[in-house]
Amino acid sequence: MKYSPVAYALYGEVTLRMRGRDVSGCIVQLQQHGISLRSVRVHRETGQCRICLKDFDEVYRVCRAHRVRFRIEQRQGLPFWRKRVWKRKMFALGALLFVCIIYGMSSIIWRVDVLGVEDQDGVAQIRDAAKSVGLYVGQQRSKLGDPFVLQEKILAKAPDFVWVGLRTSGSVATIQALQKVEGTKKSSTTPHDIVAAEPAVIRSVAATRGRVLVKANQYVYPGQVLISGTLADGQKQVPASGDVFAEVWYTSKVSVPLKVIKSGLTGESVTRDYLLLGNWRIRVWGFKEPHFAASYERDSTTEWSVHRFVLPVQVQHVRLYQATQSAEQQSLQNAKQKALQLASADVQTKVKSDATVLGQSVLHEQVSHGTLYETVLTRVEQNIGVAAAIPAPQEP
């Protein structure tokens, strides 16, 4: 009886190594009984053939009648595979559990990205709005519903945005939002003065409303009225406005090392492979720790997907390069230039408005333990005028 390849896989197949004086006669009689033999090889008193496990009893009787012994060398097919799996049932159960976990993880939102929003307050507002309508890390994809309806709900919860778009790709949800453009702020109608915010020397005054009380090259102190909102004695008061540019002084203490440590790569490297399961990273290859202390890491991650569905299981390949450090001595002149640049950058962090550096002077300079220490005075031109309420008139 002839069997199809599917029948061999279903019923099972064994490879027999036969030995005896009448091996040829045994094989001839097996074929006469209609038993299907595959890969038949006969050499003197030995032979080899492959039979279906369903015909094993008949083959056994014929071989015994011809005094031919045989040994089973290979076992293939579903019955043997099932027996092997049963012996390792815990391993099979773990593999099945792993597949179920992967399927469950692929149906959950693992990351929510917000694009098009620069400030952190806006990002937090979008995330809170998305969480209130059911879009958050850990939510099942089947419970999200229609993306168009969901993005309308998010927009209704975020009043500072004019448009919100939602796109889900596998276990990643991407929210793209467009913030409202702030209109021109209305000028205050409450009468007030323009006063000095800090001590300075006046350079120029450009008043658009109010009465100017200072002039160029005049020293002013904090709180001094620069542009008064009171036009004249006994007249009405108005909100003063204008720009008062003055020279302000800032003192910065900076330090610059004369010996600079630079890093470089030697070319030697080791590789590591990681299995990414959501937010988990499991090392699967490259357990040998490198002997070099300093290293530079460069990685590349796969982007496996089925159509538009991004799989939650990815592979990350990491290469660690050996890095070396070398000391480079810079000149004192270059260190001084660097100190002035650091002082200028320090002043920019202190100035609340646009400012122009007028000049710099070194008040103190010292080199100690390979480091240049300087105290730098920086002269800056900036707008020092701030609004302040008009004080009530004092009774005589």
Side-chain angles (χ1 to χ4, degrees), residues 15 17-19 28 48 79 99 103 114 131 147 162 170 174 182 193 196 202 271 287 290 297 316 330 341:
T15 302
R17 173 71 66 176
M18 307 171 70
R19 185 179 60 183
V28 171
Q48 181 180 343
V99 173
Y103 176 77
V114 179
K131 186 175 182 179
V162 296
T174 303
E182 297 183 359
D193 294 335
I202 302 299
T271 58
F287 296 97
E297 180 175 321
Q316 186 181 55
Q330 64 174 336
Q341 295 175 3

Side-chain angles (χ1 to χ4, degrees), residues 73 108 122 143 167 205 258 317 368 381:
E73 290 192 343
I108 295 177
K143 295 183 179 181
R167 178 174 58 88
V205 181
L258 299 179
H317 181 75
S368 176
E381 182 185 34

Side-chain angles (χ1 to χ4, degrees), residues 215-355:
K215 58 183 179 179
N217 298 324
Q218 179 182 347
Y219 176 81
V220 295
Y221 52 86
Q224 181 178 346
V225 179
L226 306 177
I227 303 176
S228 175
T230 304
L231 299 181
D233 295 339
Q235 295 188 9
K236 68 175 184 177
Q237 298 176 339
V238 297
S241 60
D243 296 328
V244 181
F245 293 97
E247 180 180 330
V248 186
W249 310 277
Y250 293 94
T251 302
S252 303
K253 293 183 178 181
V254 296
S255 60
V256 180
L258 299 179
K259 182 181 293 186
V260 181
I261 305 299
K262 292 188 176 181
S263 299
L265 302 180
T266 62
E268 186 176 355
S269 63
V270 295
T271 58
R272 294 175 179 174
D273 292 327
Y274 295 89
L275 181 65
L276 303 182
L277 299 177
N279 294 330
W280 299 341
R281 192 171 82 157
I282 304 173
R283 190 190 300 186
V284 296
W285 187 259
F287 296 97
K288 182 180 179 181
E289 295 297 332
H291 63 276
F292 39 85
S295 62
Y296 168 74
E297 180 175 321
R298 187 175 183 180
D299 59 79
S300 60
T301 307
T302 60
E303 297 181 357
W304 294 341
S305 61
V306 179
H307 297 290
R308 295 184 178 179
F309 176 73
V310 179
L311 298 178
V313 179
Q314 302 291 339
V315 174
Q316 186 181 55
H317 181 75
V318 177
R319 182 176 291 273
L320 296 177
Y321 295 91
Q322 183 181 14
T324 58
Q325 295 182 347
S326 59
E328 182 178 344
Q329 189 77 19
Q330 64 174 336
S331 62
L332 184 60
Q333 187 65 25
N334 292 337
K336 292 180 179 181
Q337 294 293 333
K338 184 66 175 180
L340 295 179
Q341 295 175 3
L342 293 176
S344 179
D346 178 61
V347 170
Q348 294 296 335
T349 61
K350 298 177 181 178
V351 177
K352 298 181 180 180
S353 58
D354 295 337

Side-chain angles (χ1 to χ4, degrees), residues 356-375:
T356 303
V357 177
L358 300 177
Q360 291 178 300
S361 301
V362 178
L363 302 180
H364 176 72
E365 179 180 300
Q366 181 183 1
V367 177
S368 176
H369 301 288
T371 304
L372 172 65
Y373 298 92
E374 282 191 356
T375 302

Side-chain angles (χ1 to χ4, degrees), residues 187-189 192 194 206-212 227-229 231 236-242:
S187 58
S188 176
T189 58
H192 59 263
I194 299 296
T208 57
R209 196 172 190 184
R211 184 161 53 96
V212 179
I227 303 176
S228 175
L231 299 181
K236 68 175 184 177
Q237 298 176 339
V238 297
S241 60

Side-chain angles (χ1 to χ4, degrees), residues 171-208:
S171 58
V172 179
T174 303
I175 303 175
Q176 193 159 8
L178 183 62
Q179 285 182 300
K180 292 181 179 179
V181 179
E182 297 183 359
T184 305
K185 295 182 180 180
K186 296 182 179 180
S187 58
S188 176
T189 58
T190 303
H192 59 263
D193 294 335
I194 299 296
V195 300
E198 46 197 319
V201 174
I202 302 299
R203 294 178 63 87
S204 64
V205 181
T208 57

Side-chain angles (χ1 to χ4, degrees), residues 33-34 41 55 89 118 125 166 197 372:
H33 281 70
R41 296 179 183 177
D55 299 331
K89 49 184 175 294
E118 297 181 356
Q125 184 179 2
L166 174 63
L372 172 65

